[in-house]
Amino acid sequence: MRYVLIDRIAELIPGELIRAWKNIAASDALATTRPSGHIVLPASMMLEAMAQAAGLLVIASAGFERQPVLAKACDATVQAEARPGARLSLTARLLQLDVSVGSIVQTEAIADDGTRAEATIYLALLPFAAEEQRRQARLRLARLFPEQFASRDDGSSAR
């Protein structure tokens, strides 16, 4: 991920669901100013945030065996763009997981005043190019989300 659009993971249950937050700020590098002068997080970036949440759920569920890559988004609907000051609650529920092929995840982005977007996310699961790539992915996620991905002394992961 070049841009991490998840600010915090509130809940992660591998094999089931993830709940995460994305806080919208006017200073966000991905925010766009519309001709009306309103600053928004575009629908495409909300979809990316939902896909990232889905990817985090899948990598936690698959035990870092494979790398999730966005294959497609289906049934995507956007009711409204998100504006600065909003906190998007991102929820992803695992519908199907085949570690050798991919996964299907139902996602939604909800703000205080209602649903902003929904989509079914399909993620392909590709082998890591090398063990070092897998190690780097683990380290990066442990730095970003230590409560969920940092290794414990006993070799297990915190959940």
Side-chain angles (χ1 to χ4, degrees):
M1 290 182 269
R2 182 171 178 189
Y3 294 101
V4 178
L5 296 177
I6 306 294
D7 293 320
R8 182 164 193 261
I9 296 174
E11 180 179 17
L12 174 60
I13 303 171
E16 292 183 35
L17 71 85
I18 188 171
R19 294 184 203 285
W21 297 335
K22 167 64 180 149
N23 296 311
I24 312 303
S27 61
D28 194 323
L30 300 172
T32 301
T33 303
R34 296 288 182 224
S36 63
H38 291 109
I39 298 172
V40 298
L41 182 68
S44 60
M45 292 298 101
M46 282 193 292
L47 181 62
E48 174 66 20
M50 294 186 309
Q52 286 183 15
L56 291 170
L57 172 60
V58 168
I59 202 163
S61 301
F64 283 89
E65 290 301 311
R66 297 205 168 217
Q67 179 176 351
V69 177
L70 180 63
K72 67 179 177 178
C74 293
D75 303 321
T77 58
V78 177
Q79 284 81 9
E81 295 172 309
R83 294 199 175 164
R87 173 187 281 172
L88 290 180
S89 175
L90 305 165
T91 301
R93 295 183 196 293
L94 191 61
L95 301 178
Q96 185 176 342
L97 174 63
D98 180 340
V99 177
S100 64
V101 180
S103 64
I104 304 170
V105 184
Q106 184 63 45
T107 63
E108 63 184 355
I110 299 173
D112 288 340
D113 58 350
T115 301
R116 292 286 192 249
E118 299 173 294
T120 303
I121 304 289
Y122 289 74
L123 297 165
L125 291 170
L126 305 178
F128 284 98
E131 186 59 35
E132 178 61 18
Q133 186 184 23
R134 180 192 326 243
R135 191 180 76 74
Q136 289 297 323
R138 281 181 182 268
L139 289 173
R140 184 161 192 227
L141 288 177
R143 279 192 310 270
L144 291 170
F145 308 108
E147 291 179 19
Q148 291 79 20
F149 291 102
S151 294
R152 295 180 181 162
D153 292 337
D154 64 3
S156 65
S157 292
R159 296 280 184 232

